[in-house]
Amino acid sequence: MGSQTMTAAAQSGGGHERSIAEVAAELLGFARAMDDGRLDYDRRTVRLTFGSANGDGMLAVIVILAAVSLVAGVVSLFLINDLALLGLSLPDWSFFALALVLLCLALWAAPRSGTHFDLRQRAVIHGGASLPFDRILPAQLELTPDDDGVALSLEHPDLNRRLAHFPAAKMEAAQAVRARLVELLERRLPFTRPAGPASAPRQTTGAGTGLSADLPKAPGRLTPVQGWIIGAGAIFARANGHPVDRLGEVSGPLGALGRRKAVALLREGWGIVGGEDVDGQVMSLITRGHREDFGFTARVAELSEGERVRYGRALHALTDSGLANDPAARQRALADLIALRYGPQGLQVMGGVLRRAPETDPAVVDLVETAMLGPLWDPEVDADELEPHWARAREMVGTEFGDEGLSAFDAWRAAFTRDVIEVPGALELYVQLRIFLHQLADPDFPAEELGRLRLLEAAGPGAVTHDRHMAWDFGRALMLIRWGHMAGWIDADDAWMRMLPIAREIQSAYGSWTDMAAAYLEGRALWSGGRDGDQPAFEKAAAELEADPDSPWNRLPWDLPLEKDW
């Protein structure tokens, strides 16, 4: 199918959808509900801009100062003779130099004064960063409640920006704005299609043209793109007894049975009891997952043999019941473990905050860390924006622990500010340490961690990269969304739209179904430390998917264009 044919198809199918201008007009209507920020729509460039009034005000000040400097320079030229009589050596060219510098600064700052949703380029642009729409998951457009209402933010590893804030009374408007942005992110726009004569079909061995319109649906079940999405999480699905030719039954006797199974799996295996919990776990898997843990363990695997032995001893020491009543020995073991795993800065963060001075009640610290971890994790938040969260945490501590708790809170906040907030890179490390300390509470963790070390030592340097084991985390994220649908918490279309960008990320990270399957199985082995007796069941599921002619892996090409086709 050539590009012109595709364009025609897109246009003919567009009668069922509102135009971009209509959606933009609706968004501009909702923008009146914002109490922080504003929204513009440029019809010529087809671009929505979320901009801060404060940022635009600063830009205006720069322009005004540049104009004043330029006028002063021009005036000095006309008054050159009069000023010379006063002994002033004018014109003062510094006026012109200052005006030039300020104008350059204004030109540099102008495109950075807002966050642009460029619908022609299908990308979110802020400053010099450009993030394609198809790399944004719906869950990454977040609504975060606070004391004054709700903030709308784009929470993506490559671009993290607060877009607007709505008062509490305008929650419905905030939800509607988010829904319209998700709609725009997923919309197939006719003007994004290449113009010109029809191009030759792209051939893919054994799979027709590689375009979804040229491929058959799974028997009565899925479109080609839907089949590809299911295939990306098929190992996890098949190993858990789920079909790979449908999203999941939600009606009839099979639907009731599937619903009970899905609810039980989510509750018992993941602690998930509702749709919001699904969103939280999916976001955790796609932004962090186990990939970061693998990276830190890989660093330990590259240490000397003596340092690796020390690491193992420290792990066992922390779970040794004989050390339960020896806090000093446990503290030494923890310090050694963190120094080897995270380096000197890890010790600094632990020493300043996590060590917890003897006079600080650990229960107070636990409450404060729990209350503040979410706000502190936002890399865009500044000190002023944190103040309401600090005040709320302090109020909680005072209610729970009284005046002594408030003194402990003030001491902890001072240490945290000094050793984490004011130290570049320390906040990210703090979050990692919090996760690691939670893992250490699991009695099985030392054996699993040592198993990971052995696997990584055998694999050698470079076995863990940022994207290598994405399939392990993203494949499970796909299955969580399927279970959320089967449990009755997520409708079918919403489930597909949530899974589509996840599948695109998987496709961009690997070169074939075989490559993806190998990475998934490696990731699972690392997760368990090679100690899980269920690993053969997952390897068998992958082998069956490779051999089954009706498997998505054999019916669909790896490089199938992943555009909505349902």
Side-chain angles (χ1 to χ4, degrees), residues 313-356:
R313 288 174 179 168
L315 277 172
H316 287 302
L318 289 173
T319 56
D320 186 347
S321 58
L323 293 182
N325 297 319
D326 190 350
R330 290 180 59 83
Q331 195 69 31
R332 288 193 299 271
L334 180 59
D336 204 25
L337 197 63
I338 289 176
L340 291 167
R341 184 177 175 87
Y342 299 102
Q345 193 177 21
L347 278 179
Q348 179 185 2
V349 173
M350 185 192 76
V353 180
L354 301 181
R355 184 170 53 196
R356 301 171 179 173

Side-chain angles (χ1 to χ4, degrees), residues 470-494:
M470 176 190 289
W472 164 240
D473 290 319
F474 280 48
R476 290 181 301 150
L478 291 173
M479 195 65 232
L480 285 183
I481 296 172
R482 286 186 66 185
W483 280 336
H485 167 68
M486 294 165 66
W489 302 331
I490 304 173
D491 66 43
D493 192 60
D494 192 16

Side-chain angles (χ1 to χ4, degrees), residues 231 234-244 513 517 521 535-555:
I235 298 178
F236 194 33
R238 178 160 287 197
N240 281 277
H242 295 288
V244 294
W513 293 110
L521 295 173
Q535 182 76 11
F538 285 79
E539 293 174 351
K540 179 183 177 184
E544 290 173 348
L545 287 163
E546 288 182 342
D548 183 358
D550 291 328
S551 160
W553 296 6
N554 289 315
R555 288 192 304 103

